[in-house]
Amino acid sequence: MRDNGLKGHFIRQFKHVWWADSRIADALASVTGDIPEKALRLYTHVLAAEHIWLLRLTQQDASQAAIWPEHAALSDCRRLLELNKRGYQEYLGELTEASLSDGVAYRNSKGVLFETSAADILAHVCLHGSYHRGQIASYMRLEGHEPANTDYITYVREE
């Protein structure tokens, strides 16, 4: 096991996030006919939430960003996935072990002010995506499609 500190841990976790998000996009793209609406809606939510948290972590205004975007196409999702990946790579590259405990002040989607450590936000982003990717897999299977395997252990084995 690699011991690169907490920053190294998050870099590895986010490599899984990008890998898993890409696998979901590929699975949705492989659908013959219409993409299951609930699966695509959840996928756009995952990517939008990742983006909103990145804006908050980098102290940018996230108040106009939709947490549940309407009518996004898969091509829009792929663009947002790449934008998120580049943004998190830059953020994680500049992050220090000490700054992981720094509080990040932000307003939630209802306008309520919170302050949360950068480490807890990064953990949330990873866990939130995993939760919804499981739901996406269920919707894919219910519609008769093969879901993507986005398990962390699968990522590690393929890394």
Side-chain angles (χ1 to χ4, degrees):
M1 175 152 175
R2 303 172 202 166
D3 184 16
N4 298 332
L6 195 52
K7 175 181 174 174
H9 168 77
F10 281 119
I11 289 171
R12 189 157 190 218
Q13 293 298 305
F14 272 84
K15 286 180 180 179
H16 169 256
V17 166
W18 306 321
W19 171 87
D21 286 348
S22 293
R23 287 189 73 141
I24 293 292
D26 292 344
L28 293 171
S30 74
V31 168
T32 303
D34 292 335
I35 295 173
E37 185 179 327
K38 289 181 181 180
L40 183 58
R41 182 154 166 76
L42 276 171
Y43 184 54
T44 60
H45 167 68
V46 167
L47 296 172
E50 289 172 5
H51 190 69
I52 287 169
W53 283 112
L54 177 61
L55 292 173
R56 291 171 177 167
L57 284 164
T58 57
Q59 300 176 347
Q60 297 178 62
D61 181 19
S63 64
Q64 300 305 307
I67 192 74
W68 289 97
E70 295 292 328
H71 311 295
L74 191 53
S75 59
D76 298 327
C77 292
R78 287 190 189 271
R79 279 191 292 278
L80 185 52
L81 188 159
E82 288 305 315
L83 180 67
N84 287 345
K85 181 178 178 181
R86 284 191 307 273
Y88 276 103
Q89 284 173 328
E90 185 176 323
Y91 175 78
L92 292 167
E94 295 173 2
L95 196 63
T96 65
E97 291 290 326
S99 63
L100 281 163
S101 61
D102 289 349
V104 176
Y106 60 93
R107 292 192 181 277
N108 71 2
S109 59
K110 294 182 170 74
V112 179
L113 182 62
F114 289 94
E115 185 171 315
T116 307
S117 74
D120 285 337
I121 290 171
L122 292 170
H124 170 73
V125 172
C126 295
L127 294 168
H128 176 262
S130 289
Y131 171 76
H132 285 307
R133 284 189 290 273
Q135 291 178 310
I136 292 166
S138 292
Y139 286 128
M140 293 285 288
R141 190 158 312 279
L142 284 170
E143 297 276 339
H145 306 289
E146 186 64 30
N149 177 346
T150 60
D151 287 342
Y152 180 76
I153 199 67
T154 303
Y155 163 74
V156 170
R157 291 173 185 153
E158 293 180 6
E159 183 182 33

